[in-house]
Amino acid sequence: MFTTEGHTGVITLNRPRALNALTHPMVLRIAEALTAWERDPAVVQVLIRGAGERGLCAGGDIRAIHDDAKAGGDASEGFWRDEYRLNARIARYPKPYVALMDGIVMGGGVGVSAHGSVRVVTERSRVAMPETGIGFVPDVGGTHLLARAPGELGTHLALTGTAVGAADALLCGLADHFVPAARLPELTAALAEAPAREVSARFAQRTAPGELAGWRAWIDRCYAAETVEEIVERLLAEGDPAAKEAAETILAKSPTSLKVTLTALRRARRLGSLERVLEQEFRVSCHALRAPDLVEGIRAQVVDKDRNPRWSPPALAEVTGADVERFFAPLGEARELRLP
């Protein structure tokens, strides 16, 4: 749903029963609206929010991705191409782009919010890139964002898929301001008349402490290891219950996804720009579409909901370097994502 309120163009993701999960038509319509508002001098800034009380956006429509992968189709590839282009555009948008990251903000929801210029979280925010749990790899620029988080915090979030609250989202550079959820209607009304940065600063408050700052020492120490196996070994050796829980969480994820994710994060640090990282993510996503763990992971978590995925291969030690490299292989000139 697209409206203008005063000087602000407003995008409302309006699939509340599906936690506002993104579809391909939604991505295309958001891009069209951004084009129109960029050219409209009456619109000085953009706001994105989610309908309902549960969250901004839970990600892409993974049931559709599951069905496409299972059928050997290419609809997901087309969706990702346009979605990643939109993520890059949001990051470079010439007008302030305000994201209300209230409630659940995961996967594709991070892509349409955390690249914005003014990112607001609330006490209800749960921000995550949980892809390793469905046999996938963080995308929508997620490896770029997480690679830039302080120390190894981003590696922890990427491998475990942990959802963080407001304080930890701020610490990791995924958000800019904390505003209580009860004040979001007031903030939105103020945006109709005043500049985004002035409004966000006026409404911003201090947030309650998070967890990650207190865990930073063992996170940096453990996740600096070269391999996922060594990361798990270090976590189990720490003696900290939170580190042990992190190790157990990691061991429940797709072994292939874990190793590809760690490699993608390390390469994202060297690639630098969001555009180059999105190009890498597109390759990885397209290869993941043809790998067995994506269909199996979505089946277990979303379709059958038995929470018992049968990963292939089932153990970290069985995932070879060659297995990982296949996810980064060129797609061929006609299929590569090229961003300016």
Side-chain angles (χ1 to χ4, degrees):
M1 187 163 63
F2 305 91
T3 58
T4 53
E5 298 180 11
H7 298 297
T8 302
V10 180
I11 302 165
T12 305
L13 303 180
N14 194 22
R15 298 183 67 209
R17 292 182 63 185
L19 268 169
N20 301 318
L22 290 173
T23 63
H24 199 167
M26 289 169 70
V27 166
L28 294 174
R29 290 186 65 200
I30 293 169
E32 290 171 2
L34 291 180
T35 297
W37 289 333
E38 184 175 344
R39 297 168 179 166
D40 186 348
V43 174
V44 300
Q45 57 207 14
V46 171
L47 170 72
I48 187 166
R49 62 188 178 186
E53 296 293 319
R54 297 168 65 196
L56 171 66
C57 175
D61 188 342
I62 58 175
R63 276 183 176 267
I65 293 170
H66 169 274
D67 295 345
D68 184 46
K70 198 171 181 180
D74 60 4
S76 298
E77 186 171 322
F79 167 61
W80 289 324
R81 186 182 300 277
D82 289 325
E83 183 183 25
Y84 300 176
R85 284 173 174 161
L86 176 63
N87 302 146
R89 181 149 188 219
I90 288 168
R92 308 292 182 220
Y93 201 63
K95 298 180 179 182
Y97 181 101
V98 184
L100 300 187
M101 301 171 70
D102 183 36
I104 292 173
V105 186
M106 297 184 178
V110 172
V112 295
S113 60
H115 298 300
S117 50
V118 181
R119 305 162 301 172
V120 176
V121 285
T122 76
E123 73 280 4
R124 304 187 299 202
S125 295
R126 302 301 294 165
V127 184
M129 296 299 295
E131 286 79 6
T132 56
I134 58 165
F136 197 45
V137 177
D139 66 334
V140 299
T143 59
H144 175 76
L145 293 166
L146 295 175
R148 298 170 71 193
E152 296 293 338
L153 293 178
T155 311
H156 170 69
L157 297 185
L159 296 184
T160 62
T162 299
V164 297
D168 289 332
L170 292 166
L171 173 63
C172 291
L174 301 173
D176 304 301
H177 303 286
F178 168 76
V179 176
R183 298 204 70 190
L184 291 184
E186 191 181 350
L187 180 150
T188 301
L191 284 171
E193 300 177 356
R197 287 182 174 82
E198 175 190 314
V199 171
S200 59
R202 189 195 322 161
F203 282 85
Q205 297 184 15
R206 292 179 63 87
T207 181
E211 295 178 318
L212 294 181
W215 296 346
R216 178 75 187 276
W218 63 257
I219 285 176
D220 286 357
R221 187 163 53 243
C222 295
Y223 288 94
E226 290 298 314
T227 67
V228 179
E229 290 95 325
E230 189 180 349
I231 288 171
V232 171
E233 288 173 7
R234 290 187 185 186
L235 289 169
L236 292 173
E238 273 294 318
D240 187 308
K244 182 175 183 288
E245 183 180 348
E248 292 170 348
T249 298
I250 289 170
L251 289 172
K253 310 299 184 184
S254 158
T256 301
S257 295
L258 290 167
K259 289 198 170 185
V260 175
T261 295
L262 183 61
T263 300
L265 277 172
R266 301 278 163 85
R267 293 186 182 185
R269 288 175 178 169
R270 297 195 298 268
L271 287 170
S273 75
L274 172 62
E275 287 79 6
R276 301 296 81 78
V277 175
L278 283 165
E279 291 167 354
Q280 172 177 272
E281 289 179 350
F282 184 73
R283 283 184 178 180
V284 171
S285 296
C286 290
H287 288 300
L289 193 66
R290 307 297 174 219
D293 279 1
L294 180 58
V295 169
E296 174 60 14
I298 299 174
R299 178 207 65 75
Q301 299 296 336
V302 178
V303 180
D304 297 338
K305 299 182 180 178
D306 60 24
R307 308 292 192 265
N308 186 32
R310 294 179 289 275
W311 305 123
S312 179
L316 286 166
E318 296 177 52
V319 182
T320 69
D323 294 332
V324 172
E325 283 304 315
R326 276 195 283 273
F327 284 78
F328 297 88
L331 299 168
E333 192 58 35
R335 289 176 62 203
E336 295 283 5
L337 177 65
R338 302 293 186 195
L339 295 171

